Amino acid sequence: MTVRKWAGTVGLEASVRLDASAPPDGNGLAAGREAAADQAVAELLALSGRALPLLREWAAAEPGCGVARALLVFATADGLDDAALKEQLVIAHRDARAVGEREASLVHGVFLHTHRQYRLASDHLAGHFARWPADEQAGLMLGAFSSCGDAAYRAYGDALVERQSALAGPENWPWTSWLAAIRAEQGRVREAHELAERALELHPRSGVAAHALAHAEHELGAGPAAVGFVDQWLAEDPQAVQARHLGWHAALQAIACGDFAEARRRADRALAVTDVGMRAATNWRLLLAGQEPAGRSDPAQVRELLAAPGGTAEIFHTFNLALALAVEAATDDLRALARRAAADPRPDFREVLAPVAEALAEVTAGRPRAAVDLLGALGERAERIGGVRVEREIVQDTLARALVDAGEPARAAELLHHRTTTRRHHAYEDLLRAERPPAAGPAPR
């Protein structure tokens, strides 16, 4: 059975159990609450658009359940200020402690994760899984390991997922989904594809598995088949947490096929004004291939985001803002950002972001040779720009285009050889190495 045949299947299996906070009372009330809790957790694990209303219902029905309150806070943390976040989680931790150590540990992990204390959250999760192996609810916070920005933490997190998945067994769809995501990021693409399909067979609405499949199919250049899967999968839950991101993946697959009008249409349909990073990554790819961009970001908004307190808090976020500036051919802004990054005390900003921003400035200024020198010298350090493989490869795309424009198409072809020989659809890569001037500046508005 292939993923295309069952991708749209509806039907929720509540395979995740939550410890009941009260003993059975003989009238079915506790059983009903437990079933509602199971369903809410399963939808949250699936990244479903139905998760939030179910979590709200669960928390309202059991206001003294610390886990219910904590998971609701986890799902809505971006909309809470620091005071509300702390207040809710203090209450949740108090109530969880009255139930048991595992519940209290889980809530403490949510506290650390939602406060962006990713190293502390990762350390806490390592201890949590040692005591409560394969805890699916704790698995919701696995992103802490990669969010640390530390290769050692990321590697530890990968190994932890491998161990916990083995303990959970091949019939556990959340852990199979998370392992698929890890394999995709490790470049073990076919294994990732198989694991994602397995997870979707077990639970067709697994958003993590659908996302892992999108990453694997990007590496394989699946093209229309991947676009069809995304459309079918999202049709069942248009409010899925990853709806816009999966729409972006579909736009990238359209670019891979050379259907640039469709790529623009999909980007404009899927991405909100606030999706500056995905919008910039789409448009910069289109420009590198000599194509018109989709709807663009407002340069003033990009400058405001850079100037805001969080504008340079994380390297990958700042890199995305640099791409948005590149789409606008904002050479002076890029040079200013490069100088700012070069003076930053953080090594990744000094050693990686600064030369990348300067290289983007050189491309927009029509100086491809200078861009080649900057990007070519990065080597494996480019991995430290953050994000995941699908996102980071745009640095390689920029180098390939610069090599061609600098009169070195053979080097560009060699750089992209692994992609043009393993991806079924690679019209985009063909254009990157084509010996003709790219449209490396912004198109008329």
Side-chain angles (χ1 to χ4, degrees):
M1 180 182 292
T2 67
V3 69
R4 316 300 162 205
K5 295 179 181 177
W6 44 256
T9 304
V10 183
L12 176 69
E13 57 174 32
S15 63
V16 181
R17 302 285 295 172
L18 179 74
D19 294 339
S21 60
D25 57 8
N27 61 10
L29 180 61
R33 287 178 174 175
E34 185 175 347
D38 286 348
Q39 186 180 18
V41 171
E43 294 283 8
L44 181 59
L45 288 165
L47 304 181
S48 165
R50 294 181 278 269
L52 191 53
L54 290 173
L55 285 169
R56 292 190 193 281
E57 290 175 14
W58 177 26
E62 296 189 70
C65 178
V67 169
R69 185 185 296 270
L71 292 182
L72 178 58
V73 168
F74 179 82
T76 59
D78 288 344
L80 299 175
D81 60 32
D82 288 344
L85 191 66
K86 183 176 180 179
E87 177 188 16
Q88 289 299 308
L89 289 175
V90 166
I91 295 170
H93 191 256
R94 178 200 67 197
D95 293 341
R97 286 178 61 191
V99 177
E101 292 183 11
R102 177 258 170 193
E103 288 76 11
S105 177
L106 181 71
V107 173
H108 185 60
V110 172
F111 184 94
L112 294 171
H113 194 282
T114 55
H115 281 79
R116 300 180 185 275
Q117 299 295 317
Y118 295 124
R119 285 178 182 262
L120 292 175
S122 298
D123 293 339
H124 178 76
L125 286 171
H128 183 95
F129 284 117
R131 294 191 65 186
W132 298 284
D135 184 343
E136 289 96 343
Q137 291 172 38
L140 289 163
M141 295 175 274
L142 287 168
F145 290 94
S146 57
S147 296
C148 287
D150 185 316
Y153 270 85
R154 180 187 290 272
Y156 184 88
D158 289 356
L160 183 145
V161 170
E162 292 169 355
R163 291 193 301 271
Q164 301 305 309
S165 178
L167 290 169
E171 299 303 309
N172 184 289
W173 66 266
W175 283 106
T176 301
S177 300
W178 289 319
L179 183 59
I182 291 296
R183 291 291 184 252
E185 180 59 12
Q186 291 172 335
R188 296 164 64 169
V189 180
R190 297 196 180 279
E191 186 178 350
H193 198 281
E194 292 174 3
L195 286 164
E197 288 195 323
R198 172 60 178 160
L200 288 165
E201 286 176 351
L202 293 167
H203 190 79
R205 302 309 310 159
S206 172
V208 176
H211 189 198
L213 189 70
H215 276 247
E217 297 207 324
H218 178 90
E219 301 277 5
L220 296 170
V227 172
F229 168 74
V230 168
D231 287 345
Q232 188 179 10
W233 195 86
L234 287 176
E236 297 292 343
D237 184 7
Q239 302 303 313
V241 172
Q242 298 178 113
R244 299 205 302 267
H245 191 76
L246 290 174
W248 175 69
H249 273 281
L252 294 189
Q253 289 287 2
I255 291 175
C257 298
D259 191 346
F260 301 111
E262 176 68 2
R264 288 190 289 271
R265 184 185 71 82
R266 285 186 171 273
D268 287 338
R269 184 179 69 182
L271 303 180
V273 174
T274 53
D275 294 322
V276 175
M278 287 187 287
R279 188 176 294 279
T282 304
N283 284 333
W284 188 241
R285 282 176 168 90
L286 287 166
L287 288 168
L288 289 175
Q291 306 299 314
E292 295 288 320
R296 307 209 309 264
S297 301
D298 180 354
Q301 178 196 18
V302 177
R303 295 184 184 104
E304 288 176 6
L305 289 170
L306 268 175
T312 58
E314 298 176 356
I315 185 170
F316 185 66
H317 172 69
T318 313
F319 168 63
N320 277 327
L321 296 179
L323 285 179
L325 293 174
V327 170
E328 301 304 321
T331 305
D332 291 343
D333 291 278
L334 285 165
R335 293 200 193 284
L337 176 58
R339 290 193 296 271
R340 181 177 173 184
D344 197 290
R346 293 167 291 184
D348 288 348
F349 277 71
R350 290 197 314 273
E351 300 167 10
V352 183
L353 182 63
V356 168
E358 186 64 32
L360 290 172
E362 299 292 7
V363 170
T364 61
R367 289 165 42 87
R369 168 53 57 193
V372 166
D373 292 342
L374 287 161
L375 295 179
L378 277 178
E380 293 184 359
R381 281 185 296 152
E383 298 290 309
R384 290 159 52 190
I385 204 71
V388 294
R389 289 169 61 91
V390 172
E391 296 163 324
R392 287 193 301 271
E393 74 176 18
I394 202 167
V395 176
Q396 187 180 65
D397 300 347
T398 306
L399 175 56
R401 183 71 259 173
L403 280 166
V404 172
D405 294 346
E408 297 191 61
R411 281 184 63 191
E414 182 180 359
L415 185 69
L416 298 174
H417 178 73
H418 70 289
R419 284 157 60 170
T420 56
T421 55
T422 59
R423 297 184 179 182
R424 181 178 178 187
H425 295 276
H426 49 79
Y428 171 60
E429 283 81 7
D430 290 342
L431 285 174
L432 284 180
R433 58 194 182 129
E435 294 187 57
R436 62 177 180 78
R445 288 186 180 276

